[in-house]
Amino acid sequence: QVQLVESGGGLVQPGGSLRLSCEASGDTHAVAWFRQAPGKEREGISCFTMLDNSTYYQDSVKGRFTVSRDSTKNTVYLQMNSLKPEDTAVYYCAAPSDYYYCSPDYDPQAYAFNYWGQGTQVTVSS
């Protein structure tokens, strides 16, 4: 059993930046970031494979969001720059219990991720 604790959300103006953190209580094969805006379905926006650092970014965040990790802290970060109002959502990090490869070409599948963080609100507004 792995517990994920997220932090770093908040209110930011358009064009601003935030960094989300996802601290895991144990080792994970991968960490994915999902978000859900009001009235919309949850979507996978990024995924990071621990073994080989393979990474996926959804087109809407590519070039603005960057995922990284600090293996000494068992923490994965999502650096979000040039934020837009449409980025407003609750952001979740998630990890699988089994091996999962984050292909750069395919969005992460929520059903494959057993462990979820509590979610953190990101609001982009002037």
Side-chain angles (χ1 to χ4, degrees), residues 16-37:
S17 298
L18 284 174
R19 188 179 76 162
L20 306 183
S21 300
C22 178
E23 182 177 3
S25 61
D27 293 336
T28 60
H29 297 283
V31 172
W33 290 93
F34 295 83
R35 69 184 181 186
Q36 188 164 20

PDB file of all heavy atoms in Angstrom, residues 16-37:
ATOM      1  N   GLY A  16       0.854  32.950 -14.582  1.00  0.00           N
ATOM      2  CA  GLY A  16       1.665  32.626 -13.414  1.00  0.00           C
ATOM      3  C   GLY A  16       2.081  31.167 -13.374  1.00  0.00           C
ATOM      4  O   GLY A  16       1.811  30.389 -14.303  1.00  0.00           O
ATOM      5  N   SER A  17       2.744  30.816 -12.270  1.00  0.00           N
ATOM      6  CA  SER A  17       3.282  29.462 -12.122  1.00  0.00           C
ATOM      7  C   SER A  17       2.925  28.880 -10.765  1.00  0.00           C
ATOM      8  O   SER A  17       2.739  29.615  -9.787  1.00  0.00           O
ATOM      9  CB  SER A  17       4.820  29.486 -12.251  1.00  0.00           C
ATOM     10  OG  SER A  17       5.231  29.946 -13.516  1.00  0.00           O
ATOM     11  N   LEU A  18       2.839  27.568 -10.733  1.00  0.00           N
ATOM     12  CA  LEU A  18       2.685  26.813  -9.504  1.00  0.00           C
ATOM     13  C   LEU A  18       3.480  25.528  -9.640  1.00  0.00           C
ATOM     14  O   LEU A  18       3.673  25.029 -10.754  1.00  0.00           O
ATOM     15  CB  LEU A  18       1.214  26.462  -9.232  1.00  0.00           C
ATOM     16  CG  LEU A  18       0.281  27.539  -8.711  1.00  0.00           C
ATOM     17  CD1 LEU A  18      -1.151  27.003  -8.670  1.00  0.00           C
ATOM     18  CD2 LEU A  18       0.695  28.016  -7.334  1.00  0.00           C
ATOM     19  N   ARG A  19       3.905  24.994  -8.505  1.00  0.00           N
ATOM     20  CA  ARG A  19       4.535  23.680  -8.505  1.00  0.00           C
ATOM     21  C   ARG A  19       3.784  22.769  -7.552  1.00  0.00           C
ATOM     22  O   ARG A  19       3.681  23.045  -6.361  1.00  0.00           O
ATOM     23  CB  ARG A  19       6.009  23.754  -8.104  1.00  0.00           C
ATOM     24  CG  ARG A  19       6.724  22.424  -8.298  1.00  0.00           C
ATOM     25  CD  ARG A  19       8.193  22.478  -7.941  1.00  0.00           C
ATOM     26  NE  ARG A  19       8.407  22.469  -6.502  1.00  0.00           N
ATOM     27  CZ  ARG A  19       9.571  22.168  -5.926  1.00  0.00           C
ATOM     28  NH1 ARG A  19      10.619  21.855  -6.696  1.00  0.00           N
ATOM     29  NH2 ARG A  19       9.705  22.192  -4.630  1.00  0.00           N
ATOM     30  N   LEU A  20       3.255  21.694  -8.106  1.00  0.00           N
ATOM     31  CA  LEU A  20       2.597  20.678  -7.298  1.00  0.00           C
ATOM     32  C   LEU A  20       3.600  19.613  -6.893  1.00  0.00           C
ATOM     33  O   LEU A  20       4.494  19.271  -7.666  1.00  0.00           O
ATOM     34  CB  LEU A  20       1.446  20.032  -8.072  1.00  0.00           C
ATOM     35  CG  LEU A  20       0.397  20.970  -8.646  1.00  0.00           C
ATOM     36  CD1 LEU A  20      -0.718  20.154  -9.312  1.00  0.00           C
ATOM     37  CD2 LEU A  20      -0.162  21.889  -7.594  1.00  0.00           C
ATOM     38  N   SER A  21       3.421  19.087  -5.690  1.00  0.00           N
ATOM     39  CA  SER A  21       4.271  18.008  -5.186  1.00  0.00           C
ATOM     40  C   SER A  21       3.416  16.792  -4.870  1.00  0.00           C
ATOM     41  O   SER A  21       2.278  16.937  -4.419  1.00  0.00           O
ATOM     42  CB  SER A  21       5.006  18.445  -3.918  1.00  0.00           C
ATOM     43  OG  SER A  21       5.822  19.560  -4.142  1.00  0.00           O
ATOM     44  N   CYS A  22       3.977  15.647  -5.102  1.00  0.00           N
ATOM     45  CA  CYS A  22       3.315  14.385  -4.789  1.00  0.00           C
ATOM     46  C   CYS A  22       4.339  13.511  -4.071  1.00  0.00           C
ATOM     47  O   CYS A  22       5.261  12.986  -4.705  1.00  0.00           O
ATOM     48  CB  CYS A  22       2.814  13.714  -6.057  1.00  0.00           C
ATOM     49  SG  CYS A  22       2.032  12.101  -5.794  1.00  0.00           S
ATOM     50  N   GLU A  23       4.177  13.376  -2.765  1.00  0.00           N
ATOM     51  CA  GLU A  23       5.112  12.578  -1.972  1.00  0.00           C
ATOM     52  C   GLU A  23       4.529  11.198  -1.735  1.00  0.00           C
ATOM     53  O   GLU A  23       3.405  11.061  -1.245  1.00  0.00           O
ATOM     54  CB  GLU A  23       5.407  13.254  -0.638  1.00  0.00           C
ATOM     55  CG  GLU A  23       6.414  12.491   0.212  1.00  0.00           C
ATOM     56  CD  GLU A  23       6.751  13.199   1.504  1.00  0.00           C
ATOM     57  OE1 GLU A  23       6.156  14.258   1.772  1.00  0.00           O
ATOM     58  OE2 GLU A  23       7.622  12.690   2.244  1.00  0.00           O
ATOM     59  N   ALA A  24       5.301  10.187  -2.081  1.00  0.00           N
ATOM     60  CA  ALA A  24       4.854   8.801  -1.929  1.00  0.00           C
ATOM     61  C   ALA A  24       5.475   8.179  -0.692  1.00  0.00           C
ATOM     62  O   ALA A  24       6.631   8.445  -0.364  1.00  0.00           O
ATOM     63  CB  ALA A  24       5.231   7.992  -3.162  1.00  0.00           C
ATOM     64  N   SER A  25       4.694   7.313  -0.036  1.00  0.00           N
ATOM     65  CA  SER A  25       5.191   6.663   1.185  1.00  0.00           C
ATOM     66  C   SER A  25       6.104   5.489   0.874  1.00  0.00           C
ATOM     67  O   SER A  25       6.756   4.959   1.777  1.00  0.00           O
ATOM     68  CB  SER A  25       4.011   6.183   2.040  1.00  0.00           C
ATOM     69  OG  SER A  25       3.239   5.241   1.325  1.00  0.00           O
ATOM     70  N   GLY A  26       6.152   5.087  -0.399  1.00  0.00           N
ATOM     71  CA  GLY A  26       7.006   3.986  -0.805  1.00  0.00           C
ATOM     72  C   GLY A  26       7.379   4.119  -2.270  1.00  0.00           C
ATOM     73  O   GLY A  26       7.032   5.100  -2.926  1.00  0.00           O
ATOM     74  N   ASP A  27       8.097   3.111  -2.774  1.00  0.00           N
ATOM     75  CA  ASP A  27       8.498   3.140  -4.183  1.00  0.00           C
ATOM     76  C   ASP A  27       7.309   2.900  -5.096  1.00  0.00           C
ATOM     77  O   ASP A  27       6.401   2.137  -4.776  1.00  0.00           O
ATOM     78  CB  ASP A  27       9.563   2.067  -4.442  1.00  0.00           C
ATOM     79  CG  ASP A  27      10.863   2.368  -3.723  1.00  0.00           C
ATOM     80  OD1 ASP A  27      11.105   3.557  -3.433  1.00  0.00           O
ATOM     81  OD2 ASP A  27      11.619   1.421  -3.452  1.00  0.00           O
ATOM     82  N   THR A  28       7.343   3.555  -6.236  1.00  0.00           N
ATOM     83  CA  THR A  28       6.294   3.384  -7.237  1.00  0.00           C
ATOM     84  C   THR A  28       6.936   3.177  -8.612  1.00  0.00           C
ATOM     85  O   THR A  28       8.055   3.617  -8.839  1.00  0.00           O
ATOM     86  CB  THR A  28       5.361   4.604  -7.299  1.00  0.00           C
ATOM     87  OG1 THR A  28       6.129   5.754  -7.636  1.00  0.00           O
ATOM     88  CG2 THR A  28       4.669   4.852  -5.967  1.00  0.00           C
ATOM     89  N   HIS A  29       6.212   2.507  -9.493  1.00  0.00           N
ATOM     90  CA  HIS A  29       6.708   2.314 -10.857  1.00  0.00           C
ATOM     91  C   HIS A  29       6.549   3.563 -11.699  1.00  0.00           C
ATOM     92  O   HIS A  29       7.351   3.828 -12.603  1.00  0.00           O
ATOM     93  CB  HIS A  29       5.951   1.169 -11.526  1.00  0.00           C
ATOM     94  CG  HIS A  29       6.155  -0.143 -10.854  1.00  0.00           C
ATOM     95  ND1 HIS A  29       7.304  -0.896 -11.005  1.00  0.00           N
ATOM     96  CD2 HIS A  29       5.358  -0.847 -10.008  1.00  0.00           C
ATOM     97  CE1 HIS A  29       7.194  -1.996 -10.292  1.00  0.00           C
ATOM     98  NE2 HIS A  29       6.050  -2.007  -9.675  1.00  0.00           N
ATOM     99  N   ALA A  30       5.514   4.301 -11.432  1.00  0.00           N
ATOM    100  CA  ALA A  30       5.210   5.498 -12.212  1.00  0.00           C
ATOM    101  C   ALA A  30       4.322   6.407 -11.382  1.00  0.00           C
ATOM    102  O   ALA A  30       3.690   5.982 -10.414  1.00  0.00           O
ATOM    103  CB  ALA A  30       4.501   5.117 -13.514  1.00  0.00           C
ATOM    104  N   VAL A  31       4.299   7.655 -11.772  1.00  0.00           N
ATOM    105  CA  VAL A  31       3.362   8.614 -11.180  1.00  0.00           C
ATOM    106  C   VAL A  31       2.697   9.377 -12.318  1.00  0.00           C
ATOM    107  O   VAL A  31       3.382   9.852 -13.231  1.00  0.00           O
ATOM    108  CB  VAL A  31       4.067   9.592 -10.227  1.00  0.00           C
ATOM    109  CG1 VAL A  31       3.104  10.700  -9.792  1.00  0.00           C
ATOM    110  CG2 VAL A  31       4.583   8.857  -8.989  1.00  0.00           C
ATOM    111  N   ALA A  32       1.387   9.463 -12.242  1.00  0.00           N
ATOM    112  CA  ALA A  32       0.638  10.217 -13.246  1.00  0.00           C
ATOM    113  C   ALA A  32      -0.076  11.374 -12.567  1.00  0.00           C
ATOM    114  O   ALA A  32      -0.391  11.317 -11.376  1.00  0.00           O
ATOM    115  CB  ALA A  32      -0.370   9.317 -13.954  1.00  0.00           C
ATOM    116  N   TRP A  33      -0.302  12.386 -13.347  1.00  0.00           N
ATOM    117  CA  TRP A  33      -1.088  13.537 -12.890  1.00  0.00           C
ATOM    118  C   TRP A  33      -2.385  13.587 -13.698  1.00  0.00           C
ATOM    119  O   TRP A  33      -2.358  13.539 -14.929  1.00  0.00           O
ATOM    120  CB  TRP A  33      -0.313  14.838 -13.067  1.00  0.00           C
ATOM    121  CG  TRP A  33       0.836  14.973 -12.126  1.00  0.00           C
ATOM    122  CD1 TRP A  33       2.141  14.618 -12.361  1.00  0.00           C
ATOM    123  CD2 TRP A  33       0.805  15.491 -10.790  1.00  0.00           C
ATOM    124  NE1 TRP A  33       2.913  14.886 -11.251  1.00  0.00           N
ATOM    125  CE2 TRP A  33       2.121  15.430 -10.278  1.00  0.00           C
ATOM    126  CE3 TRP A  33      -0.202  16.013  -9.978  1.00  0.00           C
ATOM    127  CZ2 TRP A  33       2.439  15.854  -8.986  1.00  0.00           C
ATOM    128  CZ3 TRP A  33       0.113  16.445  -8.700  1.00  0.00           C
ATOM    129  CH2 TRP A  33       1.425  16.357  -8.220  1.00  0.00           C
ATOM    130  N   PHE A  34      -3.488  13.690 -12.982  1.00  0.00           N
ATOM    131  CA  PHE A  34      -4.804  13.838 -13.577  1.00  0.00           C
ATOM    132  C   PHE A  34      -5.388  15.151 -13.069  1.00  0.00           C
ATOM    133  O   PHE A  34      -4.980  15.683 -12.038  1.00  0.00           O
ATOM    134  CB  PHE A  34      -5.727  12.679 -13.163  1.00  0.00           C
ATOM    135  CG  PHE A  34      -5.300  11.336 -13.679  1.00  0.00           C
ATOM    136  CD1 PHE A  34      -4.331  10.588 -13.026  1.00  0.00           C
ATOM    137  CD2 PHE A  34      -5.885  10.803 -14.821  1.00  0.00           C
ATOM    138  CE1 PHE A  34      -3.935   9.344 -13.500  1.00  0.00           C
ATOM    139  CE2 PHE A  34      -5.508   9.560 -15.301  1.00  0.00           C
ATOM    140  CZ  PHE A  34      -4.529   8.837 -14.638  1.00  0.00           C
ATOM    141  N   ARG A  35      -6.368  15.633 -13.793  1.00  0.00           N
ATOM    142  CA  ARG A  35      -7.104  16.802 -13.307  1.00  0.00           C
ATOM    143  C   ARG A  35      -8.558  16.669 -13.689  1.00  0.00           C
ATOM    144  O   ARG A  35      -8.905  15.995 -14.657  1.00  0.00           O
ATOM    145  CB  ARG A  35      -6.510  18.100 -13.854  1.00  0.00           C
ATOM    146  CG  ARG A  35      -6.690  18.313 -15.342  1.00  0.00           C
ATOM    147  CD  ARG A  35      -5.967  19.601 -15.776  1.00  0.00           C
ATOM    148  NE  ARG A  35      -6.137  19.850 -17.212  1.00  0.00           N
ATOM    149  CZ  ARG A  35      -5.520  20.836 -17.857  1.00  0.00           C
ATOM    150  NH1 ARG A  35      -4.704  21.662 -17.202  1.00  0.00           N
ATOM    151  NH2 ARG A  35      -5.720  20.996 -19.151  1.00  0.00           N
ATOM    152  N   GLN A  36      -9.402  17.313 -12.902  1.00  0.00           N
ATOM    153  CA  GLN A  36     -10.831  17.314 -13.176  1.00  0.00           C
ATOM    154  C   GLN A  36     -11.388  18.696 -12.910  1.00  0.00           C
ATOM    155  O   GLN A  36     -11.324  19.187 -11.782  1.00  0.00           O
ATOM    156  CB  GLN A  36     -11.560  16.270 -12.332  1.00  0.00           C
ATOM    157  CG  GLN A  36     -13.017  16.108 -12.718  1.00  0.00           C
ATOM    158  CD  GLN A  36     -13.638  14.851 -12.176  1.00  0.00           C
ATOM    159  OE1 GLN A  36     -13.146  14.248 -11.223  1.00  0.00           O
ATOM    160  NE2 GLN A  36     -14.729  14.418 -12.790  1.00  0.00           N
ATOM    161  N   ALA A  37     -11.911  19.295 -13.962  1.00  0.00           N
ATOM    162  CA  ALA A  37     -12.544  20.605 -13.861  1.00  0.00           C
ATOM    163  C   ALA A  37     -14.034  20.411 -13.604  1.00  0.00           C
ATOM    164  O   ALA A  37     -14.597  19.361 -13.943  1.00  0.00           O
ATOM    165  CB  ALA A  37     -12.305  21.390 -15.138  1.00  0.00           C
TER     166      ALA A  37
END
